[in-house]
Amino acid sequence: MKNRLSNDQLKNVMNQLYLYLIKQGANQETAKDIVQEAVCKLLIHLESIDTDKYKSWLFKVAINLYYDYCRKNKKSQYVVVEDYLITNERLIEEMMIAKENQLLVRRILQKVSPTFKQLLLLKYELDWSYKQIAEYVDMKPEAVKTYLARARKTFKEMYRRECNEKNE
């Protein structure tokens, strides 16, 4: 690497990666293990990775490790949402509505194609630019925009369907 990777930068990327793995469906312990293994691989290959691309490289390695883990276990990992006790009834009601919406979004994300899910999470959870996503998934930025538009459309249709089924 031409420029040195700082500890703060690495910690920030590790946190993003951890949250991304959780959103993909990994449990907390699995996500921690995968992040640790991916960072170890990064440190081994640090000299051969371009400074601008270490983040994409790390994410790609971690996702491949997670897919390997899923293939070995042949089961989906589901996130357990922790319950918090709040004394104010209005806050409890708001929290329950937010929790229900989060679960609905997660359920829909599990139903969309893995490519769409990955693109939506990279764009809206991690706030990556089209260029960053394009580098990560080896596509042109224009293709990423097209696929994201399709992913958003599919997600919205599925969300509306779920909401309509709920209200009936």
Side-chain angles (χ1 to χ4, degrees), residues 86-98:
I86 299 176
T87 56
N88 187 331
E89 287 181 28
R90 183 178 172 111
L91 287 177
I92 291 173
E93 182 179 330
E94 289 173 6
M95 193 175 97
M96 293 303 291
I97 291 170

Side-chain angles (χ1 to χ4, degrees), residues 99-126:
K99 183 178 178 180
E100 187 175 310
N101 286 334
Q102 287 176 341
L103 292 173
L104 177 61
V105 167
R106 285 188 183 145
R107 237 185 0 258
I108 294 169
L109 279 175
Q110 294 297 328
K111 293 178 183 178
V112 299
S113 73
T115 302
F116 284 177
K117 178 181 176 181
Q118 181 180 38
L119 291 173
L120 289 168
L121 289 174
L122 290 172
K123 181 65 179 165
Y124 297 107
E125 285 295 321
L126 298 178

Side-chain angles (χ1 to χ4, degrees), residues 29-63:
E29 290 304 313
T30 302
K32 287 177 187 177
D33 291 342
I34 290 171
V35 169
Q36 182 178 358
E37 189 172 343
V39 169
C40 286
K41 288 182 183 227
L42 173 72
L43 295 175
I44 290 169
H45 301 287
L46 195 60
E47 293 300 318
S48 62
I49 302 169
D50 186 19
T51 305
D52 299 333
K53 298 187 180 184
Y54 78 90
K55 186 175 180 179
S56 297
W57 187 92
L58 188 62
F59 266 78
K60 192 164 276 196
V61 168
I63 290 302

